DNA sequence: CGGGATCCACGAGGATACTG
DNA sequence: CAGTATCCTCGTGGATCCCG
């Protein structure tokens, strides 16, 4: 672990940094986004709140499962996701339902039947997730390669 | 908490469900995404792994901070985020650095100075996050309203 | 079948003190 | 200033048993 790395500062440059301009085209915009996404110090930040919920361990997978297969029964989902526990699938689905991302329909039959399905809002969120997954797939190799380089040092 | 809600099944409909077709336009695509994002049962899923790392509690905020303000020193970031602990900022930045999303430059001065900055890869990830935040802002009101409805019942 | 209820383990993350 | 080290809390999530 070398403590000294990368490009050291040009000695004459105290305040005026020579940033790459293209990278900061949206600087103002990103500052605004940061402000919006970080309202916690003024209590309750809905954006942060929502991001927290959608980034828990299972929500994204549950949404993809419903998006890919439409209506699903409880055990169908459990099987498709594979390594989720009964409890966490229940908790996850209840949370998604509470945000109106998923509908839950109980059929008064014996044995009982319950079907879950994405709401339009749920679909729109999944579209965003797809972009994230695309990004991850696209850059997966690069990241993995870099991680392994770290280990060698 | 009523056990019976929403649209009960049309009695005659056993197998052929009358799904809204537009909602399932990309069904195959989403099944594929689900498969890719859920390779855990076959051990190690890079996509899940990457998504997990980038969607932890602090990574997104750190990335926005750097995206909005360019180069930042440790305590500048800590102040801007506000409620992150020293420890977690360190851990978060080290993780981001390990994925080559952030560069860390140490200046051999006294007192020491360390600057963090997004890499191009980090910027490209931030662009994805921006879309998520946009989504959250757009639907925030709807979700909050729905949550409050839940409480009344 | 689709959960609810309970108990428990573990790891993320906070608080504090110390250091090069 | 920018961490490291240590201890401890607490919430997430797994395992198990039970129920309508």
């Amino acid at each position: 672990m070398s403590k000294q790395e990368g490009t050291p500062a040009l000695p004459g440059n105290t305040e005026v940094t020579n940033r790459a301009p293209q990278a900061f085209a949206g600087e103002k915009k990103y500052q605004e986004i940061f402000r919006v996404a970080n309202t916690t110090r003024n209590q309750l930040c809905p954006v942060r709140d929502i991001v927290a919920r959608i980034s828990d361990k299972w929500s994204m997978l549950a949404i993809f499962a419903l998006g890919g297969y439409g209506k699903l029964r409880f055990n169908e989902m459990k099987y498709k996701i594979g390594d989720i526990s009964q409890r966490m699938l229940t908790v996850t689905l209840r949370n998604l339902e509470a945000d109106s991302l998923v509908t839950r329909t109980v059929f008064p039959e014996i044995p009982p039947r319950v079907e879950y399905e994405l709401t339009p809002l749920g679909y729109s969120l999944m579209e965003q997730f797809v972009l994230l997954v695309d990004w991850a797939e696209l850059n997966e190799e690069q990241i993995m390669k870099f991680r392994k380089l770290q280990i060698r040092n």
Side-chain angles (χ1 to χ4, degrees), chain A:
Chain A
M1 308 271 193
S2 68
K3 278 286 178 184
Q4 177 130 359
E5 60 233 79
T7 33
L10 304 169
N13 264 3
T14 48
E15 278 304 305
V16 183
T17 54
N18 50 352
R19 295 167 175 173
Q22 79 289 356
F24 290 81
E27 188 160 345
K28 267 287 177 55
K29 176 186 164 198
Y30 296 141
Q31 289 180 21
E32 172 62 13
I33 295 257
F34 174 71
R35 198 189 58 73
V36 170
N38 190 32
T39 325
T40 312
R41 47 173 62 168
N42 322 331
Q43 305 325 22
L44 274 186
C45 171
V47 173
R48 237 194 195 184
D49 180 52
I50 290 175
V51 168
R53 170 155 301 182
I54 64 187
S55 73
D56 71 58
K57 194 174 176 185
W58 300 112
S59 293
M60 203 168 123
L61 279 173
I63 287 175
F64 276 129
L66 288 175
Y69 298 94
K71 286 174 181 155
L72 281 179
R73 302 179 63 171
F74 187 85
N75 279 339
E76 282 177 332
M77 284 195 66
K78 183 160 157 41
Y79 175 76
K80 286 197 184 303
I81 296 182
D83 61 340
I84 191 173
S85 69
Q86 206 174 40
R87 191 178 106 92
M88 289 322 296
L89 182 54
T90 303
V91 171
T92 302
L93 287 170
R94 289 291 194 279
N95 284 338
L96 295 177
E97 195 193 357
D99 284 356
S100 70
L101 297 167
V102 160
T103 58
R104 176 173 183 269
T105 311
V106 181
F107 297 88
E109 305 171 357
I110 294 182
R113 182 161 58 101
V114 180
E115 283 184 352
Y116 295 91
E117 191 173 16
L118 286 184
T119 64
L121 189 63
Y123 270 102
S124 75
L125 179 55
M126 183 175 62
E127 304 284 351
Q128 306 303 315
F129 283 165
V130 168
L131 300 178
L132 255 190
V133 171
D134 285 346
W135 183 93
E137 274 196 279
L138 189 65
N139 299 285
E140 165 190 329
E141 195 176 359
Q142 182 179 349
I143 290 181
M144 290 303 173
K145 196 183 298 176
F146 193 84
R147 280 187 194 174
K148 283 175 186 165
L149 272 177
Q150 303 295 97
I151 299 174
R152 293 172 183 268
N153 298 347

